[in-house]
Amino acid sequence: MKMKYLNIAASALAIIGMNACKPSADKTSSSSFLAGDAAEKVYVKPGTHDEFYNIVSGGFNGQLSVVGLPSGRTLRIIPVFSQFAESGWGYSEETKPMLNTSHGFVPWDDSHHVALSTTKSEHDGRWAFINGNNTPRIARVSLSTFRTEEIIEIPNSGGNHSSPFITANTEYAVAGTRFSVPPDNNADVPISSFKQNFKGYISFVSIDKTTGRMGIKFQLKTPGVSFDLARAGKGKSADWFFFSTYNTEQANTLLEVNASQKDKDFILAVNWKKAEEYLAKGKGKKEAAKYAHNVYSDETHSATSTILNEVMTLDPKECPDMLYFMPCPKSPHGCDVDPTGQYIVGSGKLAAVIPVFSFDKMIKAIANKNYDGNFDGIPVLKYDAVLHGEVKKPGLGPLHTEFDGQGNAITSFFVSSELVKWNIAKLEVIDRVPTFYSVGHLSIPGGPTAKPYGKYVVAYNKITKDRYLPTGPELAQSAQLYDISGEKMKLLLDFPTVGEPHYAESIPANMIEKNTKKIFKLEENKHPYVAKGEKETKVVRKGNEVHVYMTAIRSHFSPDNIEGIKLGDVVYFHLTNLEQDWDVPHGFAIRGALNAEILVMPGETSTLKWTPTKVGVTPMYCTDFCSALHQEMQGYIRVSPAGSKVPLSWGTGKNPVAEAEKKVAKR
């Protein structure tokens, strides 16, 4: 296939020049794009709720945040891939298994993309999915408890960026590798053998329609390219999946130059229903691959981690009519499908146009074998044969596109720092508005679905500069809320974000809040160390392990005095929160613990492990303000030297030492 090459030096200078672009200072003070009634439109008066939940990836903090729209208020941080001392996530004995991988315990990841579960390509309010990019993983978060329920590792992947995009009825979460790598079972090969030995795996992770439980159903073993972003088809295209690809040069060094040689890279179209047919016909092959599958139970309030050792793979060379390439202007980032499923929008970061592809034309081109050669055995469809048209001169550095449900698209432009609205059918720019500064992703409520709500768009900006009070060398990253309900887009609000947000999806609040879980029923608690009342509290020694069956209720622990702990012991505090009232968690911390606190929800049991390091009396206390007598919610643990004869004793509201001494004296 004939490809044109750019003068590398000229290209580099052009890119540097483009990166210097940003809205001019006079625009910052201009009111032309600022809504006159902005304050009124974002004001959520006391006692009322936001209209939308905005579920936002945390980037390099590895978490999710929950933001209310239009207020921009951060409502919650959901710990996912990173330890979180505020709640004890990844520190408590119950949650440590959630961060297990084939490499061992990994307490951090880089979370980029959110995907909310859908039914018929419309949000249904059940689950949020988020990718771990660094140690390839996908997590599933319950939108009832706002808690991470499951994490599955992705084998044969060097980086899980193009993930976890969802099929129309949440049959699959799909993940394409960012860094093509050799297969896990044949990984020790020369880096210079990239074209021969490196593969770009695409993983189809099945999702149980009732429980949400995940499992890797199959992987496609594709040529060694990089997958950037993806979207599932909708309606007529619902059986297909579309991925943006770059580095079709298959370079393995200095990619900023060597992966920008060709005029065009590709959009990869995958017929996943055809893949299922091949799988049913026995075309799949099992390959050795080690990966972890971690599941949290709301019944036992505990997680388990299982290591799996094989995956099913399909080789496109043995499965014709399953994969097709569509040429796309170089280094495409976004790959987005409009609400009808007819149009696929590519965004070449280094291109001066936005290409829009037609699904109908793609199907016709496939039927007519209208090919422009092949790439590593996969047919390449002719560009003009699949193209609906190009949006001319829309801006500099197009990245991501979402849809307003009115026949229009809005695209973010990183270099020219703006959002641009354009008509899909006419391919004409309608409006543009500056962002401050260097916007990455954008999010319209329902924007990636078949039912956009089209009222707001949020821009997630990479640079903040002068927008907030300075906080040293690093500033909070910026989100900006725009009203898109009228003819012109209008800026309503700036608000800082948690971590480095890459992407978010927004959903009407009434789809989630009505199903929010308020307590865990104490009678349903199946934790192995639960104490469902103070009469069940006890302290049990098993060699050098000491297990404290403990309860918390406003405003005391039981037991709150423990003696007979010795240096060399490992103490497990199994704390059950006896409250059955909404929003009354109890915290637990002990001086000198080398991990964190735990925060225990009503009806839940959680465990803090403590290894004493010195002799003496150590205080413990509740960390979450729970009542007027919160300060009094405390206790003491006495640690004696190894080999001490101090008996193990405990109690609440009496002197356990005196009672123990009486028992000893009677013997």
Side-chain angles (χ1 to χ4, degrees), residues 121 168 175 183 250 425 523 557 584 611:
S121 296
Q250 297 185 303
E523 63 269 22
F557 295 113
V584 188
T611 303

Side-chain angles (χ1 to χ4, degrees), residues 628-642:
L629 295 177
H630 168 71
Q631 287 293 99
E632 285 74 16
M633 193 168 178
Q634 61 185 54
Y636 295 98
I637 299 97
R638 176 184 171 187
V639 179
S640 299

